[in-house]
Structures are given as C-alpha cells and as structure tokens.
C-alpha cells in the first residue's frame, strides 16, 4: 500500500460515524481544555486516556489526537485575549497577540491563528504520512543496539534542548529514569524498589504522574494566583473576526515558514511545539519585512509561531507511528492506550494494524477541518468559558483528575501518587526544574534498560555492539550533531547578548 | 495585592540537589544489596539502577555546583510562595483533597466528590456574599453529572462505598 492508497484507506476508516464522533468530541474537549487555564494538552490527554479504553482502538486514538490538536488551538485564545497562555507553546503568541487585542484586532488575530494552525497542522500531516511509512520500513532493520541508541540518544538530546540549564533538565530526567525502575523489571521479572508495597509491583503508573505534574501542579498555581483567576476577557463579535486584506497577505509567508520550521522541530525529541514556536518567532524577527513591529503587535508574531507549534505537534507523531518510541508525554499516553488495547506499537504497526496507522493520519486531516469550523464561528463560546469563575472550574478539574487517575487501575494508591506528583510538580515549577524530562525519563527508562541488556545478552558482553552497526553509528552521530548545534547556538546567543549590553552602555 | 513571601532560588535548588544526592546514595546501596549485578554477558537487574543512581548523583552534584547571579544566568534570584490567607487557603484545599481520597473508599466517590466540591468552592470563592445553599447545589449537580457520565454511561469503575445499596 503506497501513501496515497494508505491515506484513502485511512479516510475510509476515519469517516465512519463512530470515528467522526470521536474526532469531534476530541477536538471540542481539547479546545475547551486549551482555553481553560490549568489543564494543558498533556493533562487533558491523560485524563481522557481511561475513557478511551471502552472505545474501539481507532476511535480512542483519534479522540486522543483530537484533544491534542484541539488544546493546541485553544491555548492561543487565552494568550490573545488575556495574555495568559493556555499551554506553553502559546507563550510566544501572547506577546504580539495580546498587543493586537489591545489595538482592537482580537477577532482578526484569532482568525489568523486558527487558519495558521489549520495550515500548519494539515501540511505537517502530509510530512507525517510520507516520513512515517519510510521510517517504518527502515526501522524493521533495528535491533536492540539501534533501539538503545535511539532511546538513550533521544533522552540525551531532550535533556539538552528542553530549555533552562543542563542541571534543570538532567535532575528531573534521572528521577524519571529512577521511577521507571520501580516494580517488575522487563528481562527477568524480578521485583525492585517496591518497599514491600504490592501497589508498586506493577511499577509507577504514568497517568497519575502526568496528571499530577501537569494538571494538579498547574491548578495549585491557579489557586494561589488570584490576579489571573480574576481576569475576564472582553467579548468578541462575529464581524470583528474578519482580518483585513493586508493582514491576510502578511500572514501567508509567516504561516509557510512556521509550518516548515515546526515540522523539523517535531522530529527532534523534546518539547517540540514550544521550541518550534520560539524558533519561529525568532525567524520572523529575522526575516519579516515588518520585523520592527514584532513585539508591539504584528500579525507575523502570531501567524508564524502558531503554524509552527501545530506543525511540530503533528510531526511529533512520526517517531510514535514509525518506531513506537514516545519522545513526548502525549506520545507516551497514546502508546499506553495502544498497549491496553492489545496493539504493539512499533515499525510493524503499519502492516499489522494499518487501520490504526492510516486512520490516525487521516483523522488528523478531518480533525483540522473540524477545529477550523469549531474555532472561528464558536469563538464566543470559548470566550464565555473564560468567564466561568475559578472557584467553580478548579474543584471540577480536581475531581476530574481523580476520576481519570483512579479508573486506570482502580487504585487509590495511584490517587496518592497524583497528589505527590502534583506537589513535586508545583515545587519544580517554582524552582525552575523542567517537568517534561521527568515524564519522558519514566517512559523511556524501562525501554532503554530492556534494549541495553538485550544487546549485552546478544553480544555476549561485547560493549562494541552499541556502536557497531551503520544505523547505530548514524543515530549517535545525529545526537552529537544536535548537541553541537545547540552548543553553538547558545554561544552565539550569549555573544549577541553581551554585544547588545556593551553597545547599550 | 496577593500576599507572598520570597525565597532565594539558589539555596532552594541546592537543598533539592542535596536531597537528590541522598536519594541516589540510598537507591544505589539498595540496588547493590538486594539485586544481582550479574556479568557483562549476563547482566543482572542491578546494572541499570546502579547506572541511573550514578547519573542521579552526578546531576545532583551539578545542581549543587551551579553558579548563580552572573549576567548570563537565565534564572531569577528568588521565587515566591503564597503567605497569610492565601497560604492558608492553598493548604486547606490540599487538606480537603487528601481527605477526599481517604473518604472515597468509605462513603463512595459520588458523595465524597460532592463534599469536596462544596468545601473547595467555599474555600476558593472570594465573594463576601457567597451563598452556602447555592454552592451546595452546584456541588451536588456536578457530582451527579460526573456519576451519570463516567460511572453509568462510560462504565468507569469508581468506589461506591457503604451507601452502595441505597444509591445503586
């Protein structure tokens, strides 16, 4: 089956009434999650995970993908109207978006953002379609050493590019790896570090950790932050939604630049959507004809980053679909959903479960169209969601997080893990430690250990096995190249800052 | 103005680094004593945890040795935590959340949710004229809606508690 046949097959799967409904519910719930401060895409998908177990595997994954894209769309609404990014990838959007709103262009900016997100998401799906099937063919040749290179290398790259200092990412990442060793280990079945607690024999569950770190911790910040909780947006009228011809013309090149850049970022392990939006903002500042206006309310400052973050979010599905390796918390949750449904993710997914592979890709097209239809005409509904008093929605989301967490394993212990993870997340947020490396460490840790030990068994203890094959060498070289490029970029940025400070003196 | 109290970020991070170093030591000793290390050709269950423990110790040391306060330091010098009534409110919501978990297996999810919703709405509402009956109605309606949607419709298993025979 070539890509076009695959897409047609996927559209046939995704267009069934049950899957269309799943895409709609996911897109709708995702937009609401993105709009409401407190729950970002990761916590939103984590909460919905247990509910997908009762659905058909395709419908469950389509719903999760809908929530993911929807929350990326919705996150920008609060960024523009209230200067409060609904999720981290919308931080950049808030800079120019809020300035444009203050100039009375909120409606037009929301339209530019929605169309840009649609273009970014839709064009990236084309890339995902081509890359995933190609990569899946290569990945069949992978053995334990190659998978070890990919997972360990991916984690190393992530610890360096997820923002902040090296220590701010390395400490949470190793804590995640450590948590991943709790419970029964994969090779011999030996039980480790359970402190005699039967609840830990199956290991630390991903959902309470993710919901705690990303959902509960954010809600605690909202409880203490009265200023944001009390913010109320102005209403947006339908007639204000239409951008001017100049705004359309200025947005198009930024959308295309952002889409391309976002797709490249999406292929790299790490918080791709956030990094892509920042990189796109810098690119717009460097290349736009209206660079001087960026920062004080320029349409390029929202069009580029929004296309970039949606493109990156979509592209991050490539390693998930082609290799079965989750480099982001959301990809990990999707893999959890597949495993519970008895589907083994990995390079064979495309041949063993084409309905999942192509159905998910095709649903992204459908989901993007739905999101466009949901976001522009219904902007008034989303704005009204922001008027719900915080004393109503914070308790509601807390109860929802408990139901979502408990229902995964019917375990009260997991709910306590949620509380503990929430407190750790709150403290780490305050102390500027990164959260994503902890989650990805927890997810990839057991895989890294399994591939590491399997490779040693196969090679009879010969350590050269890790750097013997051309694929493993290529992966390690790519890791080194990304690290060196990051180092050079940081040095250049530091040098530019120093020069700017010197010239201002 | 929200009352807050500022703390130095470098000491807080160093304290976290110290805790992580202690954790790494306990973790590695436990791995060494309770699990088999094996040989290179037949690696045991302790190999990976020992490597992770060493990495945790290294990352903890890197936090302890961080330089702060330079012109290129990306981090702020301080961070703030709530104080006074805001701190009390945050702690009370946390306590209510913990009591909710404890009560859930005994009185069931629906009743525990309704009580927690009411308590937390009361604590979080800044309205001086807040009405207890109105908040109670909100709490009951939300708890009932969750019960119908998740437990009845989506068949999510939640604790029913001692009132199971009257409610189900």
């Amino acid at each position: 089956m070539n890509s076009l046949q695959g897409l047609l097959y996927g559209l046939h799967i995704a267009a069934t009434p049950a899957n269309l409904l799943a895409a709609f519910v996911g897109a709708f719930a995702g937009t609401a999650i993105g709009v409401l401060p407190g729950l970002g895409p990761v916590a939103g998908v984590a909460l919905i995970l247990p509910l997908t177990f009762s659905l058909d595997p395709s419908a469950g994954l389509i719903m999760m993908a809908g929530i993911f894209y929807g929350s990326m769309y919705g996150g920008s609404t609060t960024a523009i109207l209230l200067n409060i990014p609904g999720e981290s990838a919308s931080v950049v959007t808030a800079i120019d978006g809020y300035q444009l709103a203050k100039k009375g262009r909120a409606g037009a900016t929301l339209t530019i953002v929605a169309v840009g997100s649609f273009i970014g998401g839709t064009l990236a799906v084309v890339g995902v379609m081509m890359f995933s099937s190609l990569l899946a063919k290569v990945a069949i040749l992978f053995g334990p050493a190659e998978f070890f290179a990919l997972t360990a290398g991916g984690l190393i790259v992530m610890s360096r590019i997820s923002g902040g200092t090296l220590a701010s990412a390395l400490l949470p990442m190793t804590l995640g790896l450590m948590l991943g060793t709790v419970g029964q280990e994969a090779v011999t079945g030996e039980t480790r570090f359970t402190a005699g607690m039967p609840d830990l024999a199956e290991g630390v569950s991903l959902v309470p950790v993710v919901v705690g770190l990303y959902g509960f911790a954010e809600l605690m910040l909202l409880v203490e932050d009265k200023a944001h909780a009390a913010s109320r947006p102005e209403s947006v009228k339908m007639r204000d939604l239409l951008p001017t011809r100049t705004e359309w013309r200025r947005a198009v090149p930024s959308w295309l630049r952002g889409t391309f850049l976002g797709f490249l970022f999406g292929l790299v392990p790490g918080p791709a959507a956030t990094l892509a939006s920042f990189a796109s903002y810098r690119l717009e500042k460097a290349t736009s004809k209206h660079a001087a206006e960026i920062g004080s309310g320029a349409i390029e400052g929202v069009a580029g980053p929004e296309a970039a973050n949606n493109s990156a979010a979509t592209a991050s599905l490539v390693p998930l679909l082609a290799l079965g390796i989750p480099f982001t918390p959301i990809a990990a949750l999707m893999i959890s959903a597949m495993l519970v449904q008895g589907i083994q993710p990995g390079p064979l997914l495309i041949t063993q479960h084409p309905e999942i592979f192509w159905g998910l890709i095709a649903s992204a097209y459908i989901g993007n169209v739905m999101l466009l239809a949901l976001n522009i005409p219904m902007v008034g509904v989303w704005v009204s969601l922001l008027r719900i008093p915080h004393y109503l929605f914070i308790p509601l989301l807390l109860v929802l997080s408990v139901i979502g967490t408990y229902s995964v394993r019917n375990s009260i212990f997991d709910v306590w893990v949620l509380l503990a993870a929430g407190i750790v997340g709150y403290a780490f947020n305050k102390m500027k430690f990164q959260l994503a490396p902890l989650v990805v460490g927890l997810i990839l840790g057991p895989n890294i250990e399994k591939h590491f030990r399997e490779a040693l068994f196969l090679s009879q203890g010969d350590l050269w096995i890790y750097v013997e094959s051309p694929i493993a060498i290529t992966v390690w070289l790519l890791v080194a190249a990304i690290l060196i490029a990051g180092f050079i970029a940081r040095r250049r940025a530091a040098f530019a800052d120093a020069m700017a400070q010197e010239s201002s003196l | 103005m929200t009352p807050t109290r500022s703390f130095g970020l470098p000491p807080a991070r160093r304290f976290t680094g110290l805790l992580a170093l202690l954790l790494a030591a306990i973790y590695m000793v436990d791995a060494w004593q309770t699990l088999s290390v094996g040989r290179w050709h037949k690696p045991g269950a302790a190999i990976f945890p020992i490597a992770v423990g060493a990495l945790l110790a290294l990352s903890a040391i890197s936090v302890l040795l961080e330089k702060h306060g330079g012109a290129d330091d990306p981090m702020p010098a301080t961070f703030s935590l709530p104080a006074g009534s805001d701190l009390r409110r945050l702690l009370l919501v946390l306590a209510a959340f913990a009591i909710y978990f404890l009560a859930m297996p005994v009185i069931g999810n629906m009743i525990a949710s309704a009580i927690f919703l009411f308590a937390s709405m009361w604590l979080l509402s800044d309205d001086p004229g807040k009405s207890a009956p109105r908040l109670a109605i909100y709490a009951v309606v939300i708890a009932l809606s969750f019960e119908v949607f998740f437990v009845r419709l989506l068949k999510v298993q939640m604790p029913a508690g001692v009132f199971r025979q009257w409610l189900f």
Side-chain angles (χ1 to χ4, degrees):
Chain A
M1 198 185 304
N2 63 32
S3 293
L4 190 63
Q5 288 169 325
L7 179 65
L8 290 174
Y9 174 66
L11 284 170
H12 172 70
I13 299 284
T16 59
N19 288 345
L20 280 176
L21 183 67
F24 176 78
V25 171
F28 190 90
T31 308
I33 285 165
V35 168
L36 285 173
L39 281 188
V42 182
V45 173
L47 285 177
I48 219 74
L49 176 71
L51 310 182
T52 63
F53 299 159
S54 56
L55 301 174
D56 167 61
S58 304
L61 286 168
I62 287 170
M63 189 187 276
M64 288 170 85
I67 290 174
F68 181 28
Y69 305 138
S71 52
M72 302 297 293
Y73 268 65
S76 48
T77 305
T78 45
I80 292 163
L81 297 177
L82 290 174
N83 201 18
I84 304 171
E87 34 81 34
S88 58
S90 302
V91 169
V92 168
T93 310
I95 304 171
D96 279 79
Y98 188 60
Q99 294 299 327
L100 284 162
K102 285 209 292 191
K103 291 177 186 172
R105 302 301 298 152
T109 309
L110 286 168
T111 303
I112 291 287
V113 161
V115 176
S117 301
F118 171 77
I119 291 172
T122 310
L123 291 181
V125 175
V126 180
V128 171
M129 203 170 81
M130 295 188 315
F131 265 81
S132 300
S133 50
L134 267 177
L135 197 57
K137 280 177 195 156
V138 179
I140 292 172
L141 308 170
F142 283 25
E146 289 76 17
F147 274 116
F148 174 76
L150 262 178
T151 47
L155 209 55
I156 292 168
V157 168
M158 193 186 179
S159 70
R160 224 32 228 113
I161 64 167
S162 55
T165 60
L166 174 64
S168 300
L170 200 60
L171 184 80
M173 187 191 85
T174 42
L175 280 175
L177 286 172
M178 201 187 84
L179 283 178
T181 62
V182 174
Q184 234 176 25
E185 55 104 5
V187 181
T188 61
E190 203 170 332
T191 305
R192 303 181 296 196
F193 311 114
T194 59
M197 286 189 262
D199 289 298
L200 283 175
E202 283 179 56
V204 178
S205 178
L206 179 65
V207 173
V209 174
V210 172
V211 176
L213 289 175
Y214 285 90
F216 185 73
E218 282 296 319
L219 291 171
M220 282 171 75
L221 290 172
L222 277 181
V223 168
E224 72 170 59
D225 190 354
K226 279 186 196 167
H228 275 178
S231 307
R232 294 285 179 273
E234 294 297 320
S235 60
V236 178
K237 295 187 181 74
M238 281 298 279
R239 65 169 180 271
D240 298 334
L241 288 171
L242 201 63
T244 62
R245 193 177 290 181
T246 312
E247 284 169 334
W248 283 118
R249 209 175 42 239
R250 284 174 58 173
V252 173
S254 306
W255 285 335
L256 297 177
R257 281 192 290 264
T259 301
F260 180 71
L261 190 70
F263 189 82
L264 294 181
F265 269 88
L267 300 176
V268 181
T274 307
L275 292 176
S277 63
F278 277 93
S280 167
Y281 192 73
R282 279 200 292 271
L283 182 68
E284 289 307 313
K285 270 188 149 177
T287 58
S288 169
K289 286 178 192 163
H290 307 274
E293 288 175 41
I294 295 179
S296 55
I299 210 74
E300 292 84 351
V302 289
E306 278 298 315
N309 76 38
N310 278 270
S311 174
T314 307
S316 65
L317 290 179
V318 171
L320 164 76
L321 289 173
L323 307 168
I325 298 175
F327 282 131
T328 61
I330 289 179
L333 291 166
M334 287 185 153
I335 283 192
S336 300
M338 287 188 199
L339 290 172
V340 169
Q341 301 268 16
I343 295 161
Q344 188 60 46
L348 296 176
L349 182 75
I350 192 167
T351 46
Q352 288 176 344
H353 294 282
E355 76 285 0
I356 300 279
F357 185 93
W358 292 111
L360 192 60
I361 285 177
S363 78
Y365 282 112
I366 294 171
N368 274 305
V369 176
M370 280 181 179
L371 282 166
L372 195 63
L374 273 175
N375 272 263
I376 298 180
M378 289 180 64
V379 68
V381 175
W382 306 123
V383 170
S384 65
L385 266 186
L386 290 167
R387 296 205 183 89
I388 298 175
H390 75 287
Y391 69 84
L392 278 182
F393 81 75
I394 293 175
L396 190 146
L397 292 178
L398 285 172
V399 171
L400 196 60
S401 69
V402 170
I403 294 174
T405 299
Y406 179 87
S407 58
V408 179
R409 300 199 294 196
N410 293 338
S411 162
I412 277 286
F413 179 81
D414 281 354
V415 185
W416 287 105
V417 173
L418 159 84
L419 181 64
I423 292 168
V424 169
Y426 176 80
F428 274 21
N429 271 329
K430 291 280 180 187
M431 288 188 280
K432 307 293 172 202
F433 286 107
Q434 303 291 315
L435 297 180
L438 195 158
V439 177
V440 178
L442 169 64
I443 300 153
L444 289 184
N447 286 330
I448 294 174
E449 177 177 13
K450 182 169 160 275
H451 298 312
F452 171 73
R453 288 172 66 189
E454 278 176 356
L456 278 180
F457 277 120
L458 280 175
S459 69
Q460 290 291 302
D462 181 6
L463 292 171
W464 285 107
I465 190 169
Y466 298 111
V467 285
E468 229 169 34
S469 76
I471 295 173
I473 293 170
T474 309
V475 172
W476 286 119
L477 285 176
L478 274 173
V479 169
I482 293 170
L483 293 180
I484 292 167
F487 176 75
I488 293 170
R490 275 192 300 278
R491 290 294 295 236
R492 283 179 63 178
F495 181 72
D497 280 352
M499 291 297 284
Q501 274 180 358
E502 219 166 82
S503 62
S504 68
L505 286 175
Chain B
M1 189 76 186
T2 307
T4 56
R5 200 174 151 195
S6 283
F7 295 88
L9 188 60
R13 284 176 68 93
R14 273 184 221 118
F15 179 69
T16 310
L18 264 180
L19 283 182
L21 196 59
L22 186 68
L23 183 66
I26 296 168
Y27 177 74
M28 278 201 288
V29 168
D30 191 34
W32 189 266
Q33 287 180 342
T34 58
L35 302 168
S36 100
V37 176
R39 307 295 290 264
W40 281 118
H41 67 280
K42 204 178 171 186
I47 285 270
F48 189 71
I50 289 171
V52 170
L55 193 60
L56 181 60
L58 269 177
S59 57
I61 291 168
S62 70
V63 171
L64 288 171
L65 298 179
E66 270 178 338
K67 280 184 187 151
H68 293 276
D72 57 345
D73 187 2
M75 277 182 282
T78 58
F79 69 99
S80 61
L81 287 177
S85 60
D86 280 353
L87 177 64
R88 198 165 53 246
R89 183 166 66 161
L90 184 66
L91 292 176
L92 283 172
V93 171
L94 273 178
F97 203 48
I99 293 168
Y100 168 38
F101 306 162
L102 288 171
M104 200 160 63
V106 184
I107 58 174
N109 174 61
M110 192 174 69
I111 296 174
S113 296
I115 296 170
F116 167 73
L117 283 164
F118 174 74
S120 51
M121 283 176 192
W122 183 264
L123 289 167
L124 292 173
S125 174
D126 292 325
D127 183 1
K130 60 190 168 191
S131 145
R134 189 164 55 92
L135 293 183
I137 291 168
Y138 287 158
V140 170
V141 168
I142 295 170
L144 263 175
S145 310
F146 278 167
E147 182 74 12
V148 169
F149 183 72
F150 290 105
V151 179
R152 301 297 168 95
L153 208 66
L154 294 174
K155 307 287 178 207
V156 171
Q157 297 285 317
M158 294 302 294
V162 292
F163 301 111
R164 175 189 294 267
Q165 53 199 348
W166 289 287
L167 292 171
F168 298 91

